[in-house]
Amino acid sequence: MSSEAQSTTTHRTPIRDSVAATVNPTGPPPTTTASGAAAAIISNPAEVAIVRMQVDKSLPAAERRNYRNVGDALVRAGKEEGLRALWKGSAPNALRAMALNCGALASRDQTKEAVDALLGTNNGVGACVGGAMMSGIVGAFFSIPFDSVKTQLQRMQLPHRSVRKPTK
């Protein structure tokens, strides 16, 4: 690692920590949760299309929608069910992203500090690897319940028009 990269790496965390403490001294920065929520809401239509394409493959042949690609799934869901269908599950998706960001970022920093103290290093490779591993585990732990709800909501669809039974 070059000395310039080393300098940037070692100075970035204290600067970020001081800004975070100024913005919200009692917890994770609100920008962490807000950015996760915003990204999840913006990308929700793509999530809906992907979930529906995955579910479509598991349906019996007579019930499949046979989406050709993500664009086809997006357009057909919007036309057949309305644009609101593209944002099904966006609230749990936003909560999932917020929980993931908070859990992952907080555990990463704490683990890095603990491993650095244990090894007597300052921003060492072991601390970075340990922090990344713990970040993934804790982030997944916090986000899985929201991900489960999000997926259940996004896979719901109205029956295909040709399959609907006439109403009396």
Side-chain angles (χ1 to χ4, degrees):
M1 183 182 296
S2 70
S3 61
E4 183 179 323
Q6 182 81 27
S7 173
T8 304
T9 304
T10 45
H11 294 301
R12 183 179 9 196
T13 302
I15 292 170
R16 186 198 59 168
D17 291 345
S18 66
V19 170
T22 304
V23 173
N24 187 9
T26 60
T31 54
T32 298
T33 54
S35 64
I41 290 169
I42 290 168
S43 65
N44 202 72
E47 286 272 345
V48 169
I50 290 168
V51 167
R52 294 213 177 166
M53 288 175 68
Q54 290 171 341
V55 169
D56 198 48
K57 298 290 183 194
S58 67
L59 294 173
E63 295 178 25
R64 288 188 187 159
R65 302 276 179 116
N66 296 317
Y67 298 118
R68 290 177 301 199
N69 52 45
V70 174
D72 182 45
L74 284 169
V75 170
R76 286 176 53 193
K79 282 182 182 176
E80 294 171 9
E81 300 174 46
L83 290 177
R84 289 184 65 189
L86 298 176
W87 275 272
K88 273 187 181 175
S90 60
N93 195 17
L95 290 171
R96 179 196 61 81
M98 293 165 64
L100 176 69
N101 282 359
C102 287
L105 293 176
S107 64
R108 178 185 171 274
D109 291 344
Q110 293 295 318
T111 303
K112 277 183 66 176
E113 289 175 13
V115 173
D116 269 336
L118 183 68
L119 299 177
T121 60
N122 183 18
N123 221 9
V125 173
C128 290
V129 170
M133 287 176 21
M134 186 58 70
S135 172
I137 292 167
V138 173
F141 177 79
F142 280 106
S143 68
I144 284 175
F146 298 107
D147 196 41
S148 178
V149 171
K150 169 198 73 97
T151 302
Q152 291 300 316
L153 288 171
Q154 288 176 340
R155 63 187 291 192
M156 285 187 215
Q157 333 179 350
L158 295 172
H160 195 274
R161 287 193 170 120
S162 62
V163 178
R164 285 188 187 164
K165 295 180 181 175
T167 57
K168 294 181 182 181

